[in-house]
Amino acid sequence: MPETSTVATPEQDARRRRSIAWVVVLSAAALVFDGYDLVVYGTVVPVLLADPSHLGTVTPAQAGTLGSYALVGVLVGALAAGAVGDRIGRRKVMLVNLAWFSVGMGVTATTESVATFGLFRFFTGIGVGALVATVGALVAEVAPPGQRNRYNAIVYSGVPAGGVLAALTAIALGDSIGWRGLFWIGALPIVVLLPLAIRFLPESPKWLVARGRLADAEAVSRRTGIPVPAPEAVLEDSTEEKVGFPALASRRFAFPTALLGLMSFAGLLLTYGLNTWLPQIMGEQGYGKNHALTFLLVLNLAAIGGGLVASYVADRVGARRVVATTFVLAALSLAVLPLSMPAAVLFLAVGLAGVGTIGTQVLVYGLVSNYYPTNARAAGVAWCAGFGRLGGIVGPIIGGVLVGAGVGGSTAFQLFAAVSLAGAAVALAVPRPAHAESRRTDLVPGEVRSTVTA
């Protein structure tokens, strides 16, 4: 089966750009609601702590635990998606979990007790975890060569963008629609995103080739313009024919997989810890409710801009060094947050903390998405998202314990700074990827490779 190449017509090239744009837009939009779910809980924590008429009495320690229930669900969802995503495909996992997540958010809005609220936070988290674990694999497999970190950063910037949406919505509408209305907004994907995804989201041709479905890959390529990679470029990295999590446990990937998991653990501990407790900590330092929510807004807006700039650099110098640098930036900014500073300097420090924490995690997903071959990519991103969520579970709990003990925000920020430095050290220890897909020159835009029978 020799390989032939053809140059795409302008129409085919336009179709390819349009198809990739749909993948990026739909993936980013899905993650906007992941970020919305993350931050909207932080915006309602002060309400739940102050008024027991909503769910009953909620202590700071309980609030931290409730914040962690969704993250346990994310862990379950990510690992489940990793177990099946490399076998059944990226598209099916995304469609199912867009609906799953939306139903969970809607039902959460109707809960009347702490127990049921926590249960459906867990349920919602399963859908979130599956989406986070899948979109990185899909985007990495359709993104143009040399731009994968940038495309992944655009998609995963949906998480802080969702945080911005949640903060703005809480400031503008929180008093009028209440916390239940804020959660109902999170149920919108089943109405606005799922129909579009069913119509426009393609399967990954690279995944189809990895599963030996060459005819299906060609059909997707003809419809979308997304090129089909040469089979030998994908299949020679079968990792002894292991697929998914067994491939991660192979001798070649076991050590870097452990390090990538620890790196994501640090990034998500910082991301969830700050998003859950920053409004409350700043409120205790004398800032009013809207001021405290504005800190969340600055944190997530800076993460979007900083993450995109850093991803551009990562495509040129390598993601590992950039991730280590942004972790160090987080440590420096977090260390100075408890200090008495003018408002402008304080907001700058919060913005740099957003780049170094949430922005770093955006880069981590890009690094992991491009680290593994096709037969293990979804499992690798799932491991990163799933194991990392253990850090996301620990972060809100640590914040809750410290706030409940009356220690204040200073200790929490110092602890988060230490975690940032540890994350930088782990990032530098990750070995370079050695699989063939990372060494080959991918197809240039406009080139479509197909296999024909001689």
Side-chain angles (χ1 to χ4, degrees):
M1 284 194 17
E3 181 182 285
T4 62
S5 298
T6 60
V7 176
T9 65
E11 180 183 354
Q12 291 169 327
D13 196 45
R15 188 183 306 127
R16 177 183 190 240
R17 291 196 301 270
R18 188 164 53 248
S19 298
I20 293 174
W22 272 114
V23 170
V24 171
V25 168
L26 290 171
S27 298
L31 293 190
V32 163
F33 286 92
D34 173 17
Y36 182 91
D37 175 70
L38 160 65
V39 175
V40 77
Y41 178 68
T43 68
V44 305
V45 163
V47 176
L48 299 181
L49 289 174
D51 188 351
S53 68
H54 297 288
L55 297 175
T57 300
V58 180
T59 67
Q62 283 179 315
T65 303
L66 281 175
S68 299
Y69 286 165
L71 305 183
V72 176
V74 171
L75 170 62
V76 172
L79 296 180
V84 302
D86 286 318
R87 296 184 180 276
I88 70 171
R90 311 346 182 174
R91 173 181 158 85
K92 290 179 182 177
V93 174
M94 286 189 65
L95 295 180
V96 168
N97 286 284
L98 276 170
W100 185 299
F101 165 84
S102 301
V103 170
M105 287 291 281
V107 175
T108 302
T110 69
T111 56
E112 300 287 345
S113 69
V114 172
T116 54
F117 182 88
L119 174 64
F120 284 102
R121 290 291 291 156
F122 168 79
F123 180 91
T124 303
I126 293 175
V128 171
L131 288 172
V132 171
T134 304
V135 296
L138 178 60
V139 171
E141 290 168 3
V142 304
Q147 299 182 43
R148 289 174 178 169
N149 281 295
R150 196 182 321 169
Y151 273 60
N152 263 289
I154 292 171
V155 167
Y156 280 102
S157 289
V159 177
V164 171
L165 175 64
L168 287 174
T169 305
I171 291 171
L173 301 177
D175 290 337
S176 58
I177 66 175
W179 72 267
R180 297 183 189 278
L182 294 175
F183 274 88
W184 274 116
I185 290 174
L188 288 176
I190 199 169
V191 178
V192 298
L193 284 187
L194 184 59
L196 291 173
I198 291 172
R199 172 67 179 84
F200 294 109
L201 188 71
E203 184 55 89
S204 160
K206 184 174 285 188
W207 174 80
L208 290 167
V209 171
R211 300 303 291 166
R213 295 168 56 181
L214 302 183
D216 290 337
E218 293 287 356
V220 171
S221 181
R222 285 192 296 271
R223 187 173 67 253
T224 65
I226 299 172
V228 178
E232 62 269 21
V234 178
L235 299 177
E236 74 178 61
D237 268 319
S238 61
T239 316
E240 299 176 356
E241 299 184 350
K242 293 178 180 178
V243 176
F245 288 119
L248 302 188
S250 66
R251 177 181 298 181
R252 181 164 54 161
F253 290 120
F255 178 64
T257 292
L259 292 178
L260 291 168
L262 289 172
M263 189 167 57
S264 183
F265 180 97
L268 285 169
L269 186 154
L270 298 168
T271 296
Y272 279 81
L274 282 177
N275 272 298
T276 298
W277 287 107
L278 187 63
Q280 184 70 18
I281 291 173
M282 290 305 193
E284 291 180 355
Q285 292 184 6
Y287 297 95
K289 176 185 175 183
N290 282 349
H291 232 123
L293 290 176
T294 303
F295 285 121
L296 273 186
L297 186 62
V298 171
L299 186 82
N300 286 277
L301 274 175
I304 296 171
L308 291 174
V309 171
S311 70
Y312 182 85
V313 178
D315 275 326
R316 282 152 180 76
V317 305
R320 294 177 305 140
R321 284 182 288 175
V322 177
V323 167
T325 301
T326 53
F327 264 132
V328 172
L329 178 65
L332 294 174
S333 56
L334 289 167
V336 303
L337 274 182
L339 303 179
S340 178
M341 297 179 287
V345 179
L346 180 60
F347 277 112
L348 175 62
V350 170
L352 292 176
V355 175
T357 57
I358 306 168
T360 295
Q361 186 60 28
V362 167
L363 295 173
V364 168
Y365 283 127
L367 191 162
V368 173
S369 299
N370 295 302
Y371 196 89
Y372 295 98
T374 305
N375 64 302
R377 184 170 286 116
V381 181
W383 163 254
C384 172
F387 183 79
R389 246 51 180 206
L390 293 176
I393 293 168
V394 170
I397 291 176
I398 289 176
V401 170
L402 293 175
V403 171
V407 174
S410 177
T411 302
F413 287 142
Q414 290 168 1
L415 181 58
F416 290 152
V419 171
S420 301
L421 290 177
V426 171
L428 291 174
V430 175
R432 294 181 181 275
H435 59 86
E437 279 188 59
S438 70
R439 298 192 303 268
R440 288 179 179 269
T441 301
D442 287 80
L443 295 173
V444 297
E447 180 184 7
V448 178
R449 237 175 235 176
S450 60
T451 56
V452 295
T453 304

